Amino acid sequence: MNKKYTYIWVSLIVLIFGIIFIPRIIDRIKSGSIVENTRMNVAEGAGRPLEYITLNDKKRRVPAFSFLNQDSLLITNEDYKGKVYVVEFFFTTCPTICPIMNQNLVEIQNEFREFENFGIASFTINPDYDTPMVLKEYAEKYGITDMDWNLLTGDSQEVMKLANEGFNIFAASSPDVPGGFEHSGLFALIDKNGYLRSRKDAFGNPLIYYRGTIRESLGENFEGEQEQISILKEDIKKLLEE
């Protein structure tokens, strides 16, 4: 075939492709479907066993704790033996991230309500104010009804030590920030034997913690950080099946 006509046919094919497919690609970008596919690859791990979180080559286990819950009952780490559970650090007067965190946890509570071997442990970082009575009112306000979801309060130094040293989840008093306390808004996932577990990210590193400050329905926050409640739910199911 004459080269001139070959070029014409190639140009025509490229033009037709552009007319048909480029608008579809633009529509997918606008609708977010391409972005969604990318998001799904950010945190890998579907179908794979969860990683053990280690420190100095040793599996990290939840340290011993003993606090009062919203019903003034003494709760220890032994009460969670044989259960998969999520840990958070919060406080009832938090004006920023705590309401979102606990809305997310209520959603998780409702999804796993029928599992007797699932629970949640919420440690207040303002125990001087958050008495069992205050925690009880907070539980009623947010729809916390699962008997294995304990809102825990006790000695302030012990709580801070548990957060910063036991879980390496940052928490500190800070009079210059709204509410008077700083904390990370992360969730830790614990298996039935008391070990911290997580999936790997796209780079092959354990996530360690799950972002608790973005609603699953939102997808991401204004900074482009992606929600991790959906993958937390998937990973809870994995541990329940172990």
Side-chain angles (χ1 to χ4, degrees), residues 52-64:
Y52 286 90
I53 309 306
T54 61
L55 180 65
N56 298 325
D57 295 325
K58 293 184 178 180
K59 297 177 183 177
R60 286 183 52 196
R61 187 190 289 271
V62 173

Side-chain angles (χ1 to χ4, degrees), residues 48-54 59-62 83-87 167 169 187-200 205-210 231-232 235-242:
R48 301 177 184 175
L50 298 188
E51 296 293 311
Y52 286 90
I53 309 306
T54 61
K59 297 177 183 177
R60 286 183 52 196
R61 187 190 289 271
V62 173
K83 296 182 185 295
V84 174
Y85 64 106
V86 177
V87 166
F167 285 93
I169 294 179
F187 295 155
L189 179 59
I190 317 300
D191 70 14
K192 297 173 185 176
N193 297 310
Y195 290 105
L196 277 74
R197 305 280 294 276
S198 80
R199 67 171 61 190
K200 288 183 177 180
N205 302 309
L207 288 179
I208 304 180
Y209 306 112
Y210 297 79
I231 63 172
L232 176 57
D235 293 349
I236 289 170
K237 291 176 183 177
K238 289 181 184 179
L239 292 185
L240 288 170
E241 293 171 355
E242 285 189 350

Side-chain angles (χ1 to χ4, degrees), residues 104 107-108 111-112 210 216 228-238:
N104 283 330
E107 184 178 319
I108 290 172
E111 182 155 338
F112 294 95
Y210 297 79
E216 182 179 0
Q228 294 182 340
I229 301 305
S230 57
I231 63 172
L232 176 57
K233 290 178 180 178
E234 292 175 3
D235 293 349
I236 289 170
K237 291 176 183 177
K238 289 181 184 179

